[in-house]
Amino acid sequence: MDRPITLQVKRSGLPDLTLVDLPGITRVPVEDQPKDIYNQVKAMIMHYITPEESVILNVLAAEVDFSTCESIVMSQEVDNDGDRTLAVVTKVDRAPDGLYEKIQGNSVRIGLGYVCVRNRTDADASHAAARLAETGFFDGHPELSKIEPDSRGIPALAQRLAAIQAKRVADSIPRIRQSIQKTLIAKEDELQRIPYAANSDAAALAIISSTIQKRRDIMTGLIGGRYGQFQGENSMHYAARLHEKFNEYETQKRGVLPEFLGKKYTESCKDALKEVAGISLPNMLDQAVLRQLVQEVIDSIEGPSLMLVDDCFSYASEVQQAVVAQSCSAYPSLNNVAQLQALNSLKKAKDSTIQMTKNLLLKERRVIFTLNHYYMDTMTKIHEKIAEYKKARASGEILKIDGFGSSTASLADLVSNDDQAARDLQINMFSHAKVMHKRLCDVIPMEIRMSLEDALVDDTDTAIWGAIQSGNASKLAALKVADQQRRVQLEESVERLRACEATLLDIAFDCPKQIS
């Protein structure tokens, strides 16, 4: 019922009009009409008269009270001021008396005015005869002849409708054009974001090269603290998150080291010295004991050090996967290859970094060495503190040393040879451990950073290119099916919108009102 029947009438000299002839309002269904015929007809009428672009042509019989017409009530629901409503008063020859006053009073707010027409009757032999009779009727009627010529007669109605439609089209063109341009820009922007499909091997290689370079640029930016499209995703702030892990490592490593100047460590030193008693003089630092204690320290920090490597590479792998997905998501095959090669590059780098870390710790175990003046500075500072304490012994002051914990033992009160030997060993271990701590807190993170940067950038690029064979470039550069389909849809939409805009400009020149 609601499917429109389109009829085109072409004839030279006819006004250019598009009319929708809606069914009359039916309240009582007859014969095989549906029971809800009224609701269906009303819904159809409202569908066509609601849009602001529509001009409502309200057909009213001259003999009825306009204010009681349901068509008037419907039109006022969507056009209360009547700005786009034109009334056509039919059958004026049947009830001409008082009609002039009725349309002049305009009690139902018809904004576009009234056009009165005389319908063709059986007495009219042709349309031409009907129009002549219509003209004679209006000219000869004492009241209706007062109606302006452009508001009476079917020819005047056609011209009025054509003029109204032309004006409304002209007034609507800027808004419609703006809407078209806004939609066109949105479609073109979306189209720009969808990569092109490769139409040759050379084009495929160019796409692959551009995509790999995009991945490299994003990754290099993250390493350098330039977060770009990931600005709002803190988990992708690679440089900052990696630095946090290094700080956590430094804190964790401090936590596993013993309190070198405390009573418990004094006893450990005494126990170690007992095992070499008689081999050397009490005041001579035994290298075997020192090496044993250093190895115990290294044993305690090896776990956190290797965990740092694992944690950093796991995090870098997550970042790398996100960056590859961001760069290659439009090309599924290339994305798969890039993800695999990126993981392989990180795995190789991780294995070598773990070995490097173990080698660094092995060097600390085997070579007890430093040229850093901090070692002697620390020892000197402690001995100065002991001397200060001895001077203040009577006050009962307890020695406090800043560093790896505070001493609760009074090193200055140790008087026996064994006590003094343990104290000297404690001071040596405290000073050397601080040097090792600072050294490893710099060297291991620095090695991790360098290894990661090589793996995330150059090594991954090399691995991806190495996996690309001469015959598989086109396959790797194939777009996702959804992207291919969307690109075609967008290209068609853009083409149609451009055609609409051009047509709109042509219409603007044909309208009475010039549109700039």
Side-chain angles (χ1 to χ4, degrees), residues 317-378:
S317 178
E318 294 174 4
V319 172
Q320 179 78 295
Q321 286 179 335
V323 171
V324 171
Q326 175 81 11
S327 309
C328 308
S329 59
Y331 307 101
S333 297
L334 180 58
N335 180 60
N336 292 338
V337 169
Q339 292 284 10
L340 178 61
Q341 298 307 317
L343 288 175
N344 287 342
S345 297
L346 281 172
K347 185 179 182 304
K348 291 177 182 177
K350 179 182 176 181
D351 291 342
S352 65
T353 305
I354 287 175
Q355 189 57 51
M356 175 276 304
T357 303
K358 289 181 177 180
N359 288 339
L360 283 174
L361 296 175
L362 179 62
K363 290 175 186 176
E364 295 290 350
R365 292 177 192 273
R366 295 175 57 180
V367 182
I368 302 175
F369 171 81
T370 182
L371 290 177
N372 193 331
H373 65 85
Y374 189 74
Y375 171 74
M376 290 304 301
D377 290 347
T378 303

Side-chain angles (χ1 to χ4, degrees), residues 121-141:
T121 66
D122 293 338
D124 300 322
S126 64
H127 285 291
R131 299 289 70 77
L132 285 173
E134 181 181 54
T135 301
F137 171 77
F138 280 113
D139 289 345
H141 195 280

Side-chain angles (χ1 to χ4, degrees), residues 282-328:
N283 65 336
M284 299 293 291
L285 181 61
D286 189 273
Q287 288 296 310
V289 173
L290 182 61
R291 190 177 303 280
Q292 173 192 333
L293 295 178
V294 168
Q295 288 183 358
E296 290 175 0
V297 171
I298 298 302
D299 287 343
S300 68
I301 65 176
E302 182 173 16
S305 299
L306 295 178
M307 284 177 58
L308 174 67
V309 176
D310 184 71
D311 193 24
C312 289
F313 273 85
S314 295
Y315 170 68
S317 178
E318 294 174 4
V319 172
Q320 179 78 295
Q321 286 179 335
V323 171
V324 171
Q326 175 81 11
S327 309
C328 308

Side-chain angles (χ1 to χ4, degrees), residues 197-210 465 470 473-474 477:
N199 53 14
S200 66
D201 287 342
L205 286 172
I207 287 173
I208 292 171
S209 178
S210 174
W465 279 114
S470 59
S474 295

Side-chain angles (χ1 to χ4, degrees), residues 12-231:
S12 177
L14 288 179
D16 186 7
L17 283 174
T18 300
L19 298 175
V20 179
D21 186 16
L22 295 169
I25 299 169
T26 304
R27 284 195 170 275
V28 180
V30 295
E31 297 181 357
D32 60 346
Q33 289 181 334
K35 292 182 179 181
D36 63 342
I37 183 67
Y38 171 77
N39 292 332
Q40 289 191 37
V41 171
K42 181 177 180 180
M44 186 188 307
I45 292 172
M46 297 303 289
H47 171 74
Y48 282 99
I49 70 174
T50 297
E52 289 292 326
E53 296 79 10
S54 299
V55 174
I56 303 170
L57 186 61
N58 221 316
V59 181
L60 308 169
E63 63 264 29
V64 302
D65 182 355
F66 295 167
S67 63
T68 64
C69 291
E70 188 164 4
S71 63
I72 291 291
V73 175
M74 287 186 185
S75 63
Q76 287 181 343
E77 286 183 24
V78 297
D79 182 33
N80 187 54
D81 295 330
D83 294 335
R84 53 188 181 90
T85 301
L86 174 69
V88 179
V89 184
T90 63
K91 303 174 185 178
V92 295
D93 52 332
R94 294 186 183 182
D97 296 339
L99 179 60
Y100 180 74
E101 289 77 10
K102 187 164 29 175
I103 62 176
Q104 289 297 313
N106 192 21
S107 61
V108 291
R109 301 189 305 279
I110 303 297
L112 296 177
Y114 297 79
V115 177
C116 298
V117 298
R118 171 190 176 275
N119 297 69
R120 181 180 176 181
T121 66
D122 293 338
D124 300 322
S126 64
H127 285 291
R131 299 289 70 77
L132 285 173
E134 181 181 54
T135 301
F137 171 77
F138 280 113
D139 289 345
H141 195 280
E143 291 293 326
L144 299 184
S145 62
K146 299 176 182 178
I147 299 173
E148 295 294 333
D150 63 352
S151 296
R152 64 188 191 190
I154 288 178
L157 172 62
Q159 293 299 322
R160 175 78 74 85
L161 289 174
I164 290 172
Q165 179 169 276
K167 184 178 185 305
R168 290 189 68 82
V169 168
D171 291 341
S172 300
I173 282 177
R175 178 179 52 80
I176 296 172
R177 186 182 180 191
Q178 184 180 22
S179 177
I180 290 174
Q181 288 176 335
K182 183 178 179 180
T183 305
L184 181 60
I185 290 171
K187 297 289 186 184
E188 288 176 335
D189 287 345
E190 185 181 355
L191 189 59
Q192 286 295 322
R193 291 193 296 271
I194 298 179
Y196 287 95
N199 53 14
S200 66
D201 287 342
L205 286 172
I207 287 173
I208 292 171
S209 178
S210 174
T211 303
I212 293 175
Q213 184 61 46
K214 180 181 178 182
R215 184 211 69 84
R216 181 188 182 93
D217 291 343
I218 295 173
M219 196 69 248
T220 302
L222 293 178
I223 290 171
R226 301 182 302 278
Y227 302 126
Q229 63 265 52
F230 296 110
Q231 190 64 47

